[in-house]
C-alpha cells in the first residue's frame, strides 16, 4: 500500500512534465486519450484501432457504417445501386463533397487509393479486403511478379529510376485491363466483385477503402532503383500543412508523442451536423498519469483503460463514469498444428484429440472471475454471440470444462498419462496481465491432466514474429472483428489465409466457407457458416478462452452523444462536452 501511495504522489508531481510543460496544449471542445503515438495516418497502411479511430475523423468512405445498429448509410456517396446478380456496385459521390483544401472529391481519388492497397509496394495491412474486387488479387500477384523480374533483370546494383517508372507505367495499363473498377465520370464509380458478397458494403466502409488526395500523395512518390517499387513520402501523413482529407476534421497541429489537434473541416459536406469544432487526442503513456489526467479534468474520455487499472476502477461500484462494454473480440490460445515442430520433433498438437483435451481442461469461468476479475464472458465460440445479425454460433460443438473427458481424449490419442505429452510451452506477450492467465491455464493443465508446460513471456513484436514462423507450440492471441459478419473471424482459419498461423487445415471447413460465399439466401449462408464454425470448435486449432470487454472512462453528465458499441468505433463528431462555468 505504501509503495502505491508513493507512486501516486510521484505521478501527481510528474504529470505536468508527462503531458507537456512549456508547450501548452491547444484548447479543444472534446479531449480524449491515446496510450501511444499513432502508427500511421495513411488509411491504406493502418491496422491498429487507434489509427482507424483517427482516420475516421480525417477521411470518409463512400459508405458510412453505423456501429451502434450496424446500418449502412450514405457517406461520401449520396447513394449506390447494386445489379440484380449482386456483382456490380455503382456509387454516386455527392456533388458537394470536397477535400479539405477545397478541391472537388472525385471518383479518381478513390480509385487511386484503392489501387495503392492492391500493390505490394504499399504493404497495405488489409490488402485482402480489396481482393473481393474482380481482378484485384490477380493484379497484386502481377505486380509481385513484375517487381521480381525487375530485380532478377537488373541484378544487385539495381536499375534506374526511369526503368522503375516505366515498369509502373506498364502496371497502370494492366490495372485498367485486369481490375473491375472504373470511373464512369468524376462523380460515379463502378465496381465489379468476383462473387456475390453480402458484406461488401461493410468492407467499403472500412479504413482501407478511404480515399487519399491523389495529387498530394503523387507529388511525394519516388522509385527505389534496387527493387523497382514506388515509395510514398512518409512525412506527408504527419504534416498538418500538407495532409489533405475529406472527413469532418483536419489535422491542425501535432506534437510527436504528445498530441494531435483536429479542427472542423471547412469544406466537409455535412459540417452543420458537427456537435463540436475541435478534438484533441492527448498521448499519455503512463497508466497512472492517464488516470490522473482524467480525474483532474484534463481529458474528457479514456477509450480503453489499461488492464493494470481496470479491476480497481470496476470495483468502485458508485462511479457512473466507469463503463464496461462487451466487444466483438475473442481471447484465444493458438495451437501449432503442423506434424513436426521447428526443431524437427513430432508435434503432439497435430492430433486434434490432444488439442481438444487441453481445451476441455480449461475452466473458463475461473479466468474472468478470479484472474482478470472483470467477468468477461467465457468463450464457447470463436465468433462472439450477438456480434453478427442473423448468426448464432454453434456453441454446442464447443469444448466444455470436463477433466474426466479431457483425460479420456488423451488416452484415446495414445497417452496413458498426461506427463507423456512433452515439449509444450505457452508463448505470450508480456504486459496486460497475459502472464497471470498463462499461469492459471498452466496450473489447470497440470492439475487436471498432468500435462506440464513451460511459460515464455516475450515482447509483443517477438511473439508476432514467432507466430508467423510457427516457432511456438501454444501462443496467446486475440481476434477482433473488422466487419460485422462471421467471416471476419472464420476466414482466418481457412488454409489459404495468411493469418492462419496455426497451419490447421480442413478441406471440409474450406469447402463450407467457399460454398457459403456463393449462396444468395442469407439464412442458408449463415447455416453453412455455423457448420464451418462447428468443425473449428470440434477440432480446436485454438482454445477460445473468453470474449473481450473494454473498460472506458467518461462522465455521461458531462460528455453527451458518446455511444459505446461492441466494435469500439466512436462517432466523435456527435459529441459535445458541458464545461463547468461555460455551458451552465
Amino acid at each position: 500500500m505504501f509503495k502505491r501511495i508513493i507512486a501516486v504522489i510521484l505521478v501527481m508531481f510528474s504529470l505536468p512534465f508527462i503531458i507537456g510543460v512549456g508547450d501548452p496544449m491547444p484548447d479543444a471542445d472534446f479531449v480524449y486519450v491515446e496510450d501511444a503515438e499513432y502508427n500511421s495516418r495513411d488509411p491504406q497502411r493502418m491496422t491498429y484501432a487507434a489509427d482507424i479511430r483517427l482516420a475516421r475523423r480525417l477521411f470518409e468512405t463512400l459508405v458510412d457504417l453505423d456501429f451502434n445498429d450496424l446500418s449502412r448509410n450514405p457517406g461520401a456517396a449520396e447513394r449506390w445501386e447494386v445489379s440484380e446478380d449482386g456483382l456490380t456496385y455503382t456509387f454516386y459521390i455527392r456533388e458537394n463533397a470536397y477535400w479539405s483544401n477545397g478541391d472537388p472529391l472525385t471518383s479518381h481519388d478513390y480509385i487511386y487509393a484503392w489501387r495503392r492497397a492492391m500493390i505490394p509496394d504499399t504493404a497495405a495491412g488489409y490488402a485482402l479486403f480489396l481482393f473481393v474486387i474482380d481482378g484485384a488479387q490477380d493484379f497484386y500477384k502481377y505486380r509481385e511478379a513484375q517487381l521480381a523480374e525487375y530485380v532478377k533483370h537488373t541484378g544487385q546494383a539495381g536499375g534506374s529510376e526511369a526503368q522503375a517508372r516505366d515498369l509502373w507505367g506498364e502496371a497502370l495499363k494492366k490495372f485498367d485491363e485486369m481490375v473491375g473498377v472504373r470511373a464512369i465520370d468524376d462523380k460515379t464509380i463502378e465496381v465489379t466483385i468476383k462473387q456475390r458478397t453480402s458484406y461488401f458494403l461493410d468492407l467499403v466502409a472500412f479504413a482501407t477503402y478511404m480515399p487519399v488526395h491523389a495529387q498530394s500523395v503523387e507529388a511525394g512518390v519516388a522509385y527505389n532503383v534496387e527493387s523497382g517499387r514506388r515509395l510514398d513520402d512518409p512525412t506527408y501523413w504527419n504534416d498538418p500543412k500538407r495532409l489533405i482529407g475529406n472527413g469532418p476534421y483536419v489535422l491542425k497541429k501535432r506534437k510527436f508523442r504528445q498530441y494531435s489537434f483536429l479542427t472542423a473541416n471547412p469544406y466537409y459536406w455535412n459540417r452543420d451536423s458537427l456537435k463540436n469544432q475541435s478534438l484533441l487526442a492527448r498521448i499519455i503513456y503512463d497508466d497512472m498519469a492517464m488516470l490522473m489526467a482524467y480525474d483532474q479534468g484534463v481529458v474528457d474520455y479514456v477509450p480503453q483503460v489499461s488492464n493494470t487499472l481496470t479491476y480497481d476502477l470496476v470495483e468502485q461500484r458508485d462511479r457512473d463514469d466507469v463503463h464496461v462494454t462487451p466487444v466483438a473480440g475473442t481471447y484465444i490460445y493458438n495451437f501449432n498444428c503442423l506434424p513436426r515442430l521447428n526443431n524437427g520433433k513430432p508435434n503432439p498438437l497435430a492430433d486434434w484429440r490432444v488439442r481438444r483435451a487441453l481445451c476441455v481442461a480449461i475452466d473458463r469461468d475461473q479466468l474472468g472471475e478470479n484472474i482478470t476479475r472483470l467477468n468477461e464472458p467465457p468463450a464457447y465460440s470463436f465468433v462472439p454471440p450477438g456480434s453478427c445479425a442473423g448468426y448464432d454460433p454453434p456453441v454446442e460443438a464447443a469444448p466444455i470444462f470436463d477433466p474426466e473427458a479431457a483425460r479420456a481424449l488423451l488416452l484415446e490419442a495414445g497417452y496413458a498419462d498426461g506427463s507423456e505429452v512433452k515439449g509444450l510451452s505457452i508463448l505470450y506477450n508480456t504486459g496486460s496481465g497475459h502472464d497471470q492467465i498463462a499461469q492459471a491455464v498452466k496450473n489447470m493443465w497440470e492439475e487436471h491432466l498432468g500435462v506440464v508446460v513451460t511459460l515464455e513471456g516475450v515482447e509483443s513484436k517477438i511473439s508476432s514474429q514467432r507466430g508467423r514462423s510457427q516457432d511456438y507450440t501454444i501462443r496467446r492471441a486475440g481476434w477482433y472483428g473488422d466487419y460485422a459478419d462471421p467471416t471476419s473471424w472464420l476466414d482466418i482459419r481457412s488454409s489459404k489465409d495468411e493469418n492462419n498461423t496455426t497451419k490447421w487445415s480442413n478441406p471440409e471447413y474450406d469447402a463450407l466457407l467457399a460454398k457459403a460465399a456463393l449462396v444468395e439466401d442469407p439464412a442458408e449462408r449463415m447455416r453453412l457458416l455455423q457448420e464451418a464454425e462447428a468443425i473449428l470448435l470440434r477440432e480446436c486449432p485454438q482454445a477460445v478462452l473468453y470474449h473481450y470487454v473494454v473498460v472506458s472512462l467518461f462522465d455521461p453528465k458531462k460528455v453527451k452523444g458518446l455511444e459505446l458499441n461492441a466494435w469500439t468505433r466512436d462517432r466523435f463528431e456527435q459529441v459535445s462536452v458541458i464545461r463547468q462555468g461555460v455551458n451552465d
Side-chain angles (χ1 to χ4, degrees):
M1 176 63 73
F2 177 74
K3 290 182 178 179
R4 181 176 177 84
I5 293 172
I6 293 297
V8 171
I9 292 173
L10 289 173
V11 167
M12 290 178 66
F13 280 102
S14 62
L15 180 62
F17 297 96
I18 294 172
I19 60 179
V21 158
D23 181 21
M25 302 271 180
D27 291 328
D29 294 336
F30 179 48
V31 184
Y32 63 99
V33 171
E34 298 290 8
D35 62 5
E37 178 60 76
Y38 295 107
N39 294 273
S40 176
R41 290 179 177 83
D42 179 346
Q44 273 69 61
R45 286 193 173 95
M46 59 182 53
T47 58
Y48 287 87
D51 298 348
I52 294 173
R53 181 159 49 232
L54 179 68
R56 283 166 57 83
R57 315 282 79 81
L58 300 175
F59 303 95
E60 185 174 57
T61 48
L62 294 169
V63 178
D64 175 51
L65 183 61
D66 187 327
F67 286 92
N68 294 301
D69 61 10
L70 299 180
S71 60
R72 299 155 177 167
N73 305 307
E78 61 182 0
R79 62 186 177 91
W80 55 83
E81 298 170 353
V82 185
S83 63
E84 189 173 340
D85 62 6
L87 299 180
T88 303
Y89 288 73
T90 306
F91 298 93
Y92 299 90
I93 299 174
R94 299 175 185 275
E95 290 296 332
N96 60 340
Y98 295 91
W99 288 99
S100 56
N101 67 344
D103 288 348
L105 178 69
T106 73
S107 53
H108 308 286
D109 295 314
Y110 280 92
I111 293 175
Y112 178 87
W114 299 353
R115 188 173 61 217
R116 292 182 71 234
M118 293 181 197
I119 57 175
D121 312 48
T122 305
Y126 283 99
L128 58 89
F129 280 11
L130 277 296
F131 290 172
V132 298
I133 297 176
D134 188 40
Q137 187 170 12
D138 291 337
F139 176 68
Y140 186 97
K141 292 178 179 178
Y142 162 82
R143 179 63 173 170
E144 276 187 322
Q146 188 192 43
L147 292 172
E149 185 63 27
Y150 172 90
V151 171
K152 179 180 178 181
H153 178 72
T154 58
Q156 189 173 359
S160 66
E161 183 173 338
Q163 286 176 296
R165 192 181 296 275
D166 289 344
L167 200 71
W168 176 243
E170 296 173 11
L172 286 176
K173 295 177 182 177
K174 280 291 184 180
F175 176 85
D176 291 338
E177 296 173 8
M178 298 175 68
V179 182
V181 175
R182 70 186 184 99
I184 295 178
D185 55 43
D186 285 349
K187 292 289 186 177
T188 312
I189 306 173
E190 183 184 87
V191 184
T192 303
I193 58 178
K194 291 190 295 187
Q195 58 192 33
R196 184 184 290 269
T197 304
S198 62
Y199 53 89
F200 178 64
L201 290 175
D202 297 348
L203 296 180
V204 174
F206 193 71
T208 314
Y209 279 81
M210 289 174 176
V212 296
H213 190 255
Q215 183 178 355
S216 299
V217 176
E218 197 66 18
V221 167
Y223 292 85
N224 184 298
V225 297
E226 295 177 358
S227 66
R229 293 174 183 261
R230 282 169 53 88
L231 303 176
D232 296 338
D233 177 7
T235 66
Y236 167 77
W237 306 101
N238 298 320
D239 187 348
K241 294 181 179 179
R242 290 189 291 160
L243 182 61
I244 296 173
N246 72 316
Y249 300 91
V250 295
L251 182 63
K252 188 70 174 180
K253 188 178 181 182
R254 67 177 289 266
K255 285 286 186 180
F256 180 64
R257 295 172 65 91
Q258 292 188 36
Y259 66 83
S260 287
F261 178 53
L262 282 63
T263 57
N265 177 359
Y267 293 99
Y268 182 54
W269 68 270
N270 200 23
R271 179 173 175 172
D272 290 344
S273 71
L274 271 60
K275 297 296 191 295
N276 62 74
Q277 295 299 302
S278 59
L279 305 173
L280 182 66
R282 302 190 76 142
I283 300 170
I284 306 178
Y285 289 83
D286 183 86
D287 294 339
M288 288 303 298
M290 182 184 297
L291 184 57
M292 193 66 65
Y294 173 79
D295 286 339
Q296 292 182 350
V298 175
V299 298
D300 305 309
Y301 177 45
V302 180
Q304 184 166 356
V305 179
S306 166
N307 286 6
T308 59
L309 302 175
T310 50
Y311 176 69
D312 288 342
L313 288 172
V314 172
E315 280 297 288
Q316 300 176 39
R317 306 291 183 185
D318 59 336
R319 292 184 61 159
D320 61 359
D321 62 339
V322 179
H323 308 269
V324 181
T325 307
V327 294
T330 307
Y331 191 103
I332 60 178
Y333 275 2
N334 283 336
F335 295 134
N336 182 342
C337 299
L338 291 174
R340 291 189 176 275
L341 302 174
N342 279 8
N343 60 14
K345 293 183 179 180
N347 180 9
L349 298 176
D351 190 326
W352 71 271
R353 294 167 296 187
V354 176
R355 301 193 301 265
R356 189 171 178 88
L358 293 175
C359 292
V360 171
I362 298 174
D363 187 350
R364 290 159 179 77
D365 290 331
Q366 293 298 316
L367 298 179
E369 292 176 8
N370 300 323
I371 307 304
T372 68
R373 298 183 293 178
L374 292 178
N375 293 310
E376 293 95 339
Y380 298 102
S381 61
F382 190 25
V383 182
S387 60
C388 304
Y391 184 79
D392 295 316
V395 295
E396 67 280 355
I400 306 298
F401 178 58
D402 187 341
E404 185 177 346
R407 291 189 288 271
L409 280 165
L410 280 188
L411 185 61
E412 184 181 334
Y415 298 95
D417 186 86
S419 62
E420 297 176 4
V421 181
K422 298 183 182 298
L424 302 185
S425 65
I426 299 176
L427 177 68
Y428 63 90
N429 52 302
T430 52
S432 300
H434 300 311
D435 55 339
Q436 297 174 21
I437 296 171
Q439 185 64 58
V441 173
K442 167 186 167 67
N443 292 342
M444 291 176 190
W445 286 342
E446 290 183 8
E447 176 185 354
H448 302 306
L449 294 177
V451 175
V452 178
V453 301
T454 58
L455 301 181
E456 297 183 85
V458 299
E459 293 180 2
S460 180
K461 184 177 181 180
I462 294 174
S463 176
S464 296
Q465 290 172 344
R466 289 181 58 179
R468 288 192 295 271
S469 61
Q470 287 70 55
D471 183 18
Y472 74 96
T473 52
I474 304 164
R475 175 178 171 266
R476 188 217 76 83
W479 193 263
Y480 289 88
D482 293 308
Y483 52 92
D485 188 84
T487 56
S488 188
W489 287 267
L490 302 183
D491 277 356
I492 73 163
R493 291 296 169 249
S494 163
S495 60
K496 298 179 180 179
D497 197 289
E498 61 182 21
N499 289 307
N500 185 12
T501 58
T502 69
K503 296 304 175 184
W504 173 71
S505 177
N506 183 297
E508 184 181 358
Y509 181 84
D510 290 348
L512 284 167
L513 292 183
K515 185 176 180 181
L518 299 175
V519 169
E520 296 185 16
D521 178 59
E524 174 65 9
R525 177 175 177 271
M526 291 301 181
R527 187 190 66 77
L528 292 170
L529 293 177
Q530 286 172 329
E531 284 189 34
E533 186 172 10
I535 294 173
L536 184 71
L537 295 172
R538 283 194 296 268
E539 294 205 359
C540 299
Q542 61 196 14
V544 290
L545 301 185
Y546 59 79
H547 300 299
Y548 285 106
V549 299
V550 165
V551 178
S552 57
L553 287 171
F554 73 91
D555 184 349
K557 296 187 294 293
K558 171 185 173 184
V559 178
K560 303 296 183 179
L562 183 58
E563 297 182 342
L564 304 178
N565 57 72
W567 302 87
T568 65
R569 299 289 200 271
D570 304 306
R571 303 186 72 88
F572 289 168
E573 64 273 19
Q574 296 302 312
V575 173
S576 60
V577 179
I578 299 175
R579 303 285 184 201
Q580 188 173 1
V582 176
N583 302 84
D584 291 350

